[in-house]
Amino acid sequence: MSERPTYTLKGDTGDWELVMGLEVHAQVASEAKLFSGASTAFGADPNCNVSLVDAAMPGMLPVINKKCVEQAVRTGLGLKAQINKWSRFDRKNYFYPDLPQGYQISQFDHPIVGEGEIEVDVEPAHGDPAYSFPVRIERLHLEQDAGKSIHDMDPTSTYVDLNRSGVALMEIVSKPDVRTPLEAAAYVKKLKSIVVALGTCDGDMEKGNLRADVNVSVCKPGAYEKFRETGDFGHLGTRCEIKNMNSFRFIQAAIEYEARRQIEILENGGEVDQETRLFDPNKGETRSMRSKEDAHDYRYFPDPDLLPLEFDDLFIENIKASLPELPDEKRARFEGEYGLSRYDAGVLTADSERAEFFEAVAKGRDAKLAANWVSQELFGYLNREGLELADSPVSAAQLGELVDLISNDTISGKIAKDVFARMIDGEGNPGDIVEKHGLKQVTDTGAIEAIVDQIIADNPEQAASVKEKPKAMGWFVGQVMKASGGKANPGAVNKILKQKLGL
């Protein structure tokens, strides 16, 4: 991995740098809500998954869901963070039409999970190499979700669906350690890979089960380093929060627009207002939603209806013992066991589904060859078509068979790409395709030698000049492959040509 590059934005008055912290909301994987037994199932008719507690009916008291507590601790362990054996719920007071109580039950100064740190890998882009960087986790706290306001069912009215009201969320808050739009997307991807591997959140961003609030500010070069030295936020610019981002692509686009907007304001002598903004993907711009509140504006106080959470070391150790292999551990194993580069191993362990698919292809085979076909050919195709791995027209067993055909010299790598394209088109298993279309590689050295002799005989001048210009042998390789219909074994072709041409 390369060193972390410096990222600057050009303004009329000079260079600017970005500083970001993110608050990622992950819906807890639980069949019941945080303080009631109502279902969390997605897609139910409006206001069907609502208990009297969720609707804030008078006299209804919340009861903590133990499963949600376990999932939060499990996530904290996955983030290598401090687990607080004593934590407390607080009331966060603000008004939303879809927040029945008029307050949100959350955690403020005593969260269930404290500080941690994760390593984030950034894939190569715009000619820059891959690199990794650390992000410090400030906290993870549990809180209940609000309902949903629906504005497009009536021109004069807003409808409210409380099915999400009371659903358990883990809010994962980072320190301001993210410096580029690409890093922000990579950080959210990394968190998603961790919670999905842990089974604490399904990571479905389309359903809103994982979404990010991005706090963006701009500053002059050197200001961030002063902040890291002193801890004084005064060195950084005023931040604006972009709310409810549920797409990696939109996260990057929103940050780029927002940074440019703030730079333009500052260079024109204005001041950036601390506010919450929404991103409009159709216009590619952010717009103001409301002024950004500070903690004191919410008038936090301990929730009188809930006792503090207290648990012992045994409770934590039992959860720790059940942790699965996490993405970083899996990546390290792929590097050691399969001899893959850190980057390739990172691509293949970005989520558990990818890792399982690769291991099925690589089992008992050339792991590096399998990795190339999985990450470059198959994933490349899926990315171009906008498909998920679950929608792949090629199974792991089929891709493994294709790797076998290459390894045993039945087909060449070039022919394999033709076979792969036919597999994508639904022609079936690679072995059947090779037989049907007569694509077996010619490994008979006698047959290849006859082709080589004929081409040398037909081109004596080129043959005579090869000793002076060895690179010209590539022309002969091309002619032999053309004459064999692309089926001649490239290794045999090169070996025979070198012998015949005296190289």
Side-chain angles (χ1 to χ4, degrees), residues 223-290:
Y224 177 75
E225 284 68 25
K226 291 179 181 177
F227 156 72
R228 288 299 300 266
E229 290 173 6
T230 64
D232 182 0
F233 280 90
H235 292 295
L236 306 181
T238 301
R239 74 184 191 279
C240 291
E241 179 186 49
I242 310 172
K243 197 77 174 171
N244 290 333
M245 305 297 299
N246 66 345
S247 156
F248 301 127
R249 183 165 58 88
F250 290 164
I251 285 173
Q252 294 184 69
I255 291 169
E256 289 181 9
Y257 175 86
E258 178 60 21
R260 293 291 181 185
R261 185 189 73 87
Q262 292 185 24
I263 289 170
E264 184 177 348
I265 291 173
L266 294 170
E267 292 193 325
N268 287 330
E271 294 185 0
V272 174
D273 293 326
Q274 182 174 314
E275 61 182 351
T276 298
R277 300 179 69 85
L278 293 176
F279 178 65
D280 185 337
N282 295 318
K283 295 182 179 180
E285 62 186 32
T286 63
R287 66 172 186 270
S288 182
M289 179 183 177
R290 62 177 182 267

Side-chain angles (χ1 to χ4, degrees), residues 10 17 37-38 101 105 140 175 177 200 211 234 244 247 285-286 310 312 318 331 337 356 365 368 386 404 452 459 489:
K10 301 292 183 183
E17 292 184 352
Q101 297 105 318
I105 302 178
L140 178 156
K175 300 277 191 179
D177 291 344
T200 57
R211 54 193 191 266
N244 290 333
S247 156
E285 62 186 32
T286 63
E310 292 188 69
D312 55 20
N318 286 338
R331 186 198 66 221
E337 187 174 326
E356 288 176 14
R365 301 184 174 97
K368 291 185 178 180
D404 286 338
V452 170
N459 300 277
N489 182 297

Side-chain angles (χ1 to χ4, degrees), residues 357-376:
F357 189 96
F358 164 72
E359 293 209 269
V361 175
K363 188 175 182 180
R365 301 184 174 97
D366 181 330
K368 291 185 178 180
L369 183 61
N372 286 337
W373 276 92
V374 172
S375 62
Q376 295 179 21

Side-chain angles (χ1 to χ4, degrees), residues 326-482:
L326 293 170
D328 283 352
E329 297 160 357
K330 194 182 295 288
R331 186 198 66 221
R333 178 170 66 82
F334 277 26
E335 290 181 59
E337 187 174 326
Y338 297 114
L340 303 180
S341 68
R342 178 186 172 94
Y343 172 72
D344 287 339
V347 170
L348 293 167
T349 57
D351 61 60
S352 55
E353 189 180 16
R354 284 187 174 199
E356 288 176 14
F357 189 96
F358 164 72
E359 293 209 269
V361 175
K363 188 175 182 180
R365 301 184 174 97
D366 181 330
K368 291 185 178 180
L369 183 61
N372 286 337
W373 276 92
V374 172
S375 62
Q376 295 179 21
E377 301 299 331
L378 181 62
F379 289 173
Y381 164 77
L382 295 176
N383 289 338
R384 289 192 298 273
E385 298 298 319
L387 298 174
E388 297 296 328
L389 184 55
D391 304 317
S392 172
V394 177
S395 69
Q398 288 175 320
L399 197 58
E401 184 182 340
L402 183 65
V403 171
D404 286 338
L405 293 174
I406 300 168
S407 297
N408 62 25
D409 289 333
T410 299
I411 58 175
S412 66
K414 184 176 181 181
I415 294 174
K417 292 190 176 184
D418 179 36
V419 175
F420 181 74
R422 294 177 185 274
M423 292 164 67
I424 291 292
D425 290 338
E427 289 193 30
N429 295 326
D432 297 334
I433 293 172
V434 170
E435 290 292 339
K436 178 182 176 181
H437 296 282
L439 297 174
K440 279 189 178 179
Q441 186 170 230
V442 177
T443 56
D444 180 353
T445 56
I448 296 173
E449 190 171 352
I451 296 173
V452 170
D453 287 341
Q454 185 62 51
I455 290 174
I456 290 175
D458 292 343
N459 300 277
E461 292 184 4
Q462 286 94 326
S465 65
V466 167
K467 286 186 178 181
E468 297 178 5
K469 299 179 181 178
K471 289 184 179 180
M473 194 185 85
W475 181 85
F476 281 95
V477 173
Q479 293 301 306
V480 174
M481 297 305 293
K482 182 178 179 182

Side-chain angles (χ1 to χ4, degrees), residues 21-33:
L22 285 83
E23 300 163 11
V24 176
H25 295 82
Q27 179 175 320
V28 176
S30 169
E31 293 181 359
K33 296 182 180 181

Side-chain angles (χ1 to χ4, degrees), residues 16-147:
W16 295 82
E17 292 184 352
L18 266 172
V19 180
M20 287 168 284
L22 285 83
E23 300 163 11
V24 176
H25 295 82
Q27 179 175 320
V28 176
S30 169
E31 293 181 359
K33 296 182 180 181
L34 184 55
F35 300 115
S36 81
S39 172
T40 59
F42 180 82
D45 290 336
N47 297 304
C48 287
N49 296 342
V50 185
S51 73
L52 296 177
V53 174
D54 307 324
M57 291 298 176
M60 296 298 103
L61 296 176
V63 178
I64 189 69
N65 181 339
K66 182 181 178 182
K67 174 71 173 181
C68 295
V69 174
E70 291 173 344
Q71 295 286 58
V73 172
R74 191 175 174 85
T75 303
L77 292 170
L79 297 174
K80 306 294 189 292
Q82 172 67 41
I83 307 301
N84 296 324
K85 289 182 284 186
W86 191 96
S87 61
R88 184 183 70 197
F89 285 101
D90 301 278
R91 290 188 180 181
K92 182 180 181 181
N93 297 275
Y94 61 98
F95 173 78
Y96 274 174
D98 48 22
L99 189 64
Q101 297 105 318
Y103 60 83
Q104 179 188 38
I105 302 178
S106 182
Q107 294 185 304
F108 180 46
D109 51 359
H110 295 285
I112 192 168
V113 176
E115 294 187 351
E117 184 172 293
I118 62 173
E119 192 76 11
V120 178
D121 292 326
V122 180
E123 297 181 9
H126 312 302
D128 293 327
Y131 65 95
S132 64
F133 71 102
V135 176
R136 295 168 297 161
I137 303 299
E138 182 175 310
R139 58 190 278 141
L140 178 156
H141 62 260
L142 279 169
E143 64 184 21
Q144 59 178 174
D145 203 353

